[in-house]
Amino acid sequence: MIQKSIHRLLMTGFVAFISSLSLMAQHKVEVIPFGDMDQWVDRQIKESSIIGGNTKNVYAIGPTSVIKGDQVYKNMGGSPWATSNVMAKVAGITKTNTSVFPEKRGDGYCARLDTRMESVKVLGLVNITVLAAGSIFTGSVHEPIKGTKNPQKMLQTGIPFTKKPVALQFDYKVKMSDRENRIRATGFSKITDVPGKDYPAAILLLQKRWEDANGNVYAKRIGTMVTYYYHSTDWKNNVTYEIMYGDITNRPEYKAHMMRLQATESYTVNSKGESVPIHEVAWGDENDVPTHMYIQFTSSHGGAYIGSPGNTLWVDNVKLVY
């Protein structure tokens, strides 16, 4: 009897092992280009002498290299990633913002995304304090930034993409600010409190986009994955989030405040070369094929200039599961 029991347990374990192997064999995991966060461009930009003239390191995710000087940055080496690190030229003053950093992790690096305050003060010219969240996303930035008005218009949101992955997988770590409310600091208006705690977020949207004769861009939402992080946590590896397809409004996982159509305003460049809003007008169906993918990791969920200094999100090894 004992031998039979042992044999049964061994067989049960073997079947479970074979099942897990089978499950792994059914899914293919692909690292998004530069998604291992091990390669970084170090842009060394000298700010204007009137604000100190310091040389700042403005990091981008791309082939390991150093760029000296205030050159406008365009994604290098086929990297799909842009960041909230930018060079601005306002009223003739060159200023940088860095809220995304490479950080050593094991034998390589990860991305550290910080929410922080950034100030420029020049007597008689400008006095700007903005809240800058750390963000990395698939797309690009139209440099140089020339003002704080309508920052979304300075972003090319998403990249061409026609596949239908089943999940997004990555490693992450979270450190939450202890502030109960967020702040809003746009640069020129008074700094104000915004009710509610600040949460880091991970977002993946698959869209089917099209353009009308007037250059307006519209989109159907094909796939959705949005999650907020509510607590500080140490590294969690290979965490896998399902991408939900089609109209998800009746699914128990659906959270309207973060997953609804047009939850945030996004821009793209149309065929005329103009930066225009993407009008997300309908849910797709299971037969629709996306034209674009937008992935974003951010240390603050509330949009431009809103958040809590001290929030930090670390991200590494970003992959798609098929």
Side-chain angles (χ1 to χ4, degrees):
M1 282 296 292
I2 292 174
Q3 281 188 321
K4 280 187 178 179
S5 297
I6 292 171
H7 179 71
R8 196 179 299 119
L9 281 169
L10 286 171
M11 284 306 295
T12 304
F14 182 70
V15 169
F17 174 68
I18 290 298
S19 298
S20 66
L21 280 181
S22 172
L23 190 65
M24 286 169 64
Q26 290 169 14
H27 292 289
K28 184 173 69 169
V29 179
E30 287 183 1
V31 178
I32 295 172
F34 298 91
D36 60 8
M37 303 297 160
D38 286 342
Q39 297 187 70
W40 292 78
V41 180
D42 180 6
R43 304 171 64 199
Q44 298 178 0
I45 299 173
K46 190 178 191 303
E47 295 184 334
S48 293
S49 56
I50 199 168
I51 56 170
N54 295 320
T55 297
K56 298 293 183 69
N57 301 90
V58 182
Y59 299 103
I61 302 167
T64 303
S65 54
V66 174
I67 299 174
K68 295 187 176 182
D70 61 350
Q71 301 175 41
V72 167
Y73 183 77
K74 297 189 181 302
N75 294 32
M76 293 171 55
S79 173
W81 298 102
T83 78
S84 52
N85 296 346
V86 292
M87 174 182 66
K89 292 194 175 184
V90 182
I93 297 166
T94 298
K95 177 79 177 76
T96 66
N97 168 67
T98 302
S99 47
V100 175
F101 303 84
E103 189 169 287
K104 196 75 179 156
R105 184 186 181 217
D107 295 330
Y109 290 88
C110 63
R112 189 185 92 227
L113 286 50
D114 291 342
T115 297
R116 53 200 292 275
M117 303 299 289
E118 188 70 48
S119 296
V120 186
K121 292 188 171 83
V122 181
L123 194 63
L125 280 177
V126 289
N127 184 351
I128 302 173
T129 298
V130 299
L131 183 131
S135 176
I136 63 174
F137 62 95
T138 53
S140 56
V141 179
H142 311 309
E143 279 193 340
I145 306 299
K146 294 177 180 176
T148 61
K149 188 179 177 183
N150 197 357
Q152 295 301 118
K153 194 171 183 178
M154 301 306 297
L155 310 180
Q156 166 82 23
T157 305
I159 57 171
F161 187 83
T162 56
K163 296 179 182 178
K164 296 178 84 170
V166 297
L168 179 68
Q169 185 181 92
F170 53 92
D171 308 342
Y172 74 89
K173 182 172 80 165
V174 174
K175 180 174 76 67
M176 299 287 292
S177 164
D178 57 7
R179 287 182 61 96
E180 286 307 309
N181 289 315
R182 297 165 286 165
I183 60 172
R184 184 173 190 266
T186 64
F188 293 100
S189 57
K190 184 182 174 185
I191 296 174
T192 55
D193 262 13
V194 176
K197 209 161 171 57
D198 189 21
Y199 305 119
I203 299 163
L204 182 147
L205 303 179
L206 296 171
Q207 294 176 325
K208 183 178 183 178
R209 299 180 187 173
W210 67 95
E211 182 178 330
D212 69 13
N214 297 317
N216 300 304
V217 174
Y218 301 90
K220 280 186 183 180
R221 173 83 63 79
I222 309 301
T224 307
M225 192 296 295
V226 183
T227 188
Y228 290 176
Y229 296 105
Y230 302 104
H231 308 285
S232 297
T233 180
D234 205 350
W235 278 105
K236 294 187 179 295
N237 298 327
N238 293 322
V239 179
T240 305
Y241 296 94
E242 178 193 0
I243 298 168
M244 299 179 286
Y245 282 87
D247 184 346
I248 62 171
T249 53
N250 291 321
R251 289 187 56 152
E253 304 95 333
Y254 178 69
K255 297 181 178 65
H257 67 284
M258 63 171 87
M259 298 177 184
R260 69 182 187 277
L261 297 178
Q262 206 79 53
T264 58
E265 188 174 35
S266 299
Y267 279 74
T268 190
V269 176
N270 66 12
S271 61
K272 305 172 191 290
E274 304 162 333
S275 182
V276 296
I278 302 163
H279 302 287
E280 204 173 37
V281 293
W283 297 97
D285 61 44
E286 60 185 22
N287 298 316
D288 278 319
V289 175
T291 61
H292 288 79
M293 174 176 66
Y294 178 61
I295 299 175
Q296 183 193 24
F297 298 96
T298 178
S299 57
S300 294
H301 76 282
Y305 311 129
I306 296 173
S308 294
N311 259 29
T312 302
L313 174 66
W314 289 262
V315 178
D316 203 3
N317 297 320
V318 185
K319 307 162 191 166
L320 293 170
V321 182
Y322 293 91

